[in-house]
Amino acid sequence: MSRFSNLGHRLYQGEVSFDFVGRRKLWYSISGVIALVAIVGLSTVGLHLGIEFKGGSVYTVAKPGLTVSQAQDDINKIIGDSTSQVQSTGDGKIRIQVSAQEKASSDAVVKQLSSDLDVPAANIDAQVVGPSWGHEISQKALLGLVIFMVLVTAYLAIAFEWRMALAALVALIHDLVITIGVYAVVGFEVSPGTVIGFLTILGYSLYDTVVVFDTVKENTKDLEKQNKRTYSEAANAGLNQTLVRSLNTTVVALLPVAALLFIGGGLLGAGTLNDISLALFIGLSAGAYSSICVATPLLAQLKEQTPQMRALAKRVAQRRAADAKAAAAVGSTADAVEEQADEAVEDSVAAAGMVGQRNQPVSRARGKGRPSGKR
């Protein structure tokens, strides 16, 4: 954990940096492939709507020891169709869903189930849902989504700017498309709890995006007055500064959702809880990815197309070229000085060698002509 905290500090100080903005084509490609799979699955397979949206009947049988296969065989025999869905709720009850196309009345089905399964009719709860109720829920959910999108776009445009609002809106749509596409491809049932989960993930995704955008706004304040870095570089620095915070927020949010999904839904069999947690788990994961790899790179791309940021990028490039040229000139001068120093040393060594060669024979001659001291 201390290493992770140290990484966050180094990211904030700029000692370590991941180039998310510079690799935007890679992120766009990944998002495009996932979105394409989701759209194809949504258009071909479609959503598996729950009984609340398409209408039908739900029978909850309370009998200890009753298995899903027994209830499935009996309901198929009663209605003469195998499209009914039977599942255990985890509390000793069996839930049977029958589509609205079945002509048998709910009272007749309850009576037959009571007789075949040897359970009192009072222990069988029957609920009939009309398709108009599900249609009304869908319309209200869609209306709420549109109102939310409009308000969010207006707020971001006022608090930040319209480019940030557009980038955040694209990230939200990205998260919704992926989440809905996963439901279509995998075949998860869409219930009212799923719709609640869809609407909830918008808030989480928007929160991460706003946190990053706020830091980017601080980093790019008075950016045009300098010529050291471009808008993309400043935005990428802001993204790195909030990277650990975004990851921590996502992990903290995913842990309880995963507990609801895998423990509450998987072990306890909580149907509605499972629907909400599944949508949240997929949406939070997609939201964490989009706030880092989609929203900020898209914002930087939009800003770099403005005349001011183009002029800034040109000034930054000119300064870096001048700095590189000056560094090269200094390097050449240093190399020349070093070369001259080496040549001077070599000349000095050569001169010293020549002097030694001249003096050595003279010394020998004097040595030979010196008296030996013997008389």
Side-chain angles (χ1 to χ4, degrees):
M1 184 61 68
S2 60
R3 293 182 178 180
F4 193 69
S5 300
N6 186 33
L7 176 61
H9 176 73
R10 296 175 65 189
L11 286 170
Y12 188 83
Q13 295 296 330
E15 300 175 4
V16 178
S17 179
F18 300 101
D19 191 10
F20 292 102
V21 175
R23 295 186 175 92
R24 56 174 172 258
K25 292 183 179 180
L26 174 62
W27 313 131
Y28 292 167
S29 300
I30 295 175
S31 298
V33 171
I34 298 176
L36 180 62
V37 173
I39 293 173
V40 170
L42 187 61
S43 59
T44 56
V45 180
L47 291 174
H48 180 51
L49 299 176
I51 196 172
E52 295 85 358
F53 294 95
K54 60 184 180 181
S57 303
V58 179
Y59 304 94
T60 305
V61 183
K63 180 184 179 182
L66 180 63
T67 63
V68 173
S69 59
Q70 292 174 346
Q72 184 73 64
D73 294 339
D74 190 59
I75 194 64
N76 291 344
K77 183 179 66 175
I78 294 174
I79 65 176
D81 191 5
S82 59
T83 58
S84 59
Q85 297 181 4
V86 181
Q87 61 183 4
S88 175
T89 60
D91 54 356
K93 297 180 180 181
I94 299 295
R95 187 170 183 263
I96 304 173
Q97 295 184 14
V98 180
S99 65
Q101 298 177 355
E102 303 301 330
K103 303 301 182 182
S105 64
S106 60
D107 294 336
V109 174
V110 170
K111 183 178 180 180
Q112 191 65 38
L113 286 173
S114 175
S115 175
D116 295 343
L117 301 178
D118 192 19
V119 59
N123 292 349
I124 301 177
D125 181 29
Q127 295 180 351
V128 180
V129 181
S132 60
W133 185 78
H135 181 68
E136 183 179 356
I137 288 182
S138 301
Q139 285 186 337
K140 290 184 178 180
L142 183 60
L143 178 61
L145 178 62
V146 172
I147 294 176
F148 177 82
M149 292 290 191
V150 172
L151 293 179
V152 165
T153 304
Y155 167 75
L156 292 178
I158 295 174
F160 298 99
E161 60 169 305
W162 69 266
R163 294 177 185 85
M164 288 187 174
L166 179 60
L169 185 62
V170 171
L172 289 179
I173 297 176
H174 167 276
D175 300 339
L176 281 178
V177 170
I178 290 180
T179 306
I180 296 175
V182 169
Y183 266 79
V185 172
V186 181
F188 294 140
E189 183 179 271
V190 178
S191 65
T194 306
V195 176
I196 296 174
F198 286 163
L199 297 178
T200 305
I201 63 177
L202 299 178
Y204 282 99
S205 176
L206 183 64
Y207 171 77
D208 283 341
T209 304
V210 169
V211 168
V212 176
F213 280 1
D214 185 64
T215 307
V216 171
K217 181 181 179 182
E218 291 295 327
N219 284 0
T220 56
K221 185 178 181 181
D222 298 330
L223 189 66
E224 300 176 17
K225 297 180 180 179
Q226 52 84 46
N227 58 356
K228 295 182 179 180
R229 59 180 180 177
T230 63
Y231 187 92
S232 295
E233 294 170 346
N236 190 75
L239 182 57
N240 279 271
Q241 290 173 358
T242 58
L243 179 61
V244 173
R245 177 179 179 180
S246 299
L247 294 178
N248 287 335
T249 303
T250 303
V251 171
V252 170
L254 281 177
L255 286 177
V257 172
L260 292 176
L261 177 60
F262 298 109
I263 298 178
L267 299 180
L268 303 180
T272 304
L273 195 62
N274 197 19
D275 296 337
I276 297 176
S277 59
L278 182 61
L280 288 177
F281 189 84
I282 300 173
L284 287 176
S285 303
Y289 169 80
S290 66
S291 62
I292 297 174
C293 301
V294 175
T296 306
L298 179 59
L299 169 64
Q301 183 179 2
L302 293 175
K303 288 291 292 185
E304 290 288 1
Q305 295 177 355
T306 61
Q308 297 83 356
M309 295 301 108
R310 287 183 179 179
L312 174 62
K314 185 177 180 179
R315 294 198 305 270
V316 171
Q318 291 175 348
R319 172 170 179 169
R320 291 177 180 175
D323 292 343
K325 185 177 181 180
V330 171
S332 301
T333 303
D335 292 341
V337 172
E338 184 178 358
E339 184 177 355
Q340 291 176 359
D342 292 341
E343 292 178 355
V345 171
E346 291 176 357
D347 293 342
S348 300
V349 171
M354 293 178 64
V355 171
Q357 290 177 359
R358 291 177 181 176
N359 294 335
Q360 189 172 4
V362 174
S363 176
R364 290 176 185 170
R366 291 178 180 176
K368 291 180 180 180
R370 182 180 301 172
S372 62
K374 296 181 180 180
R375 304 261 176 194

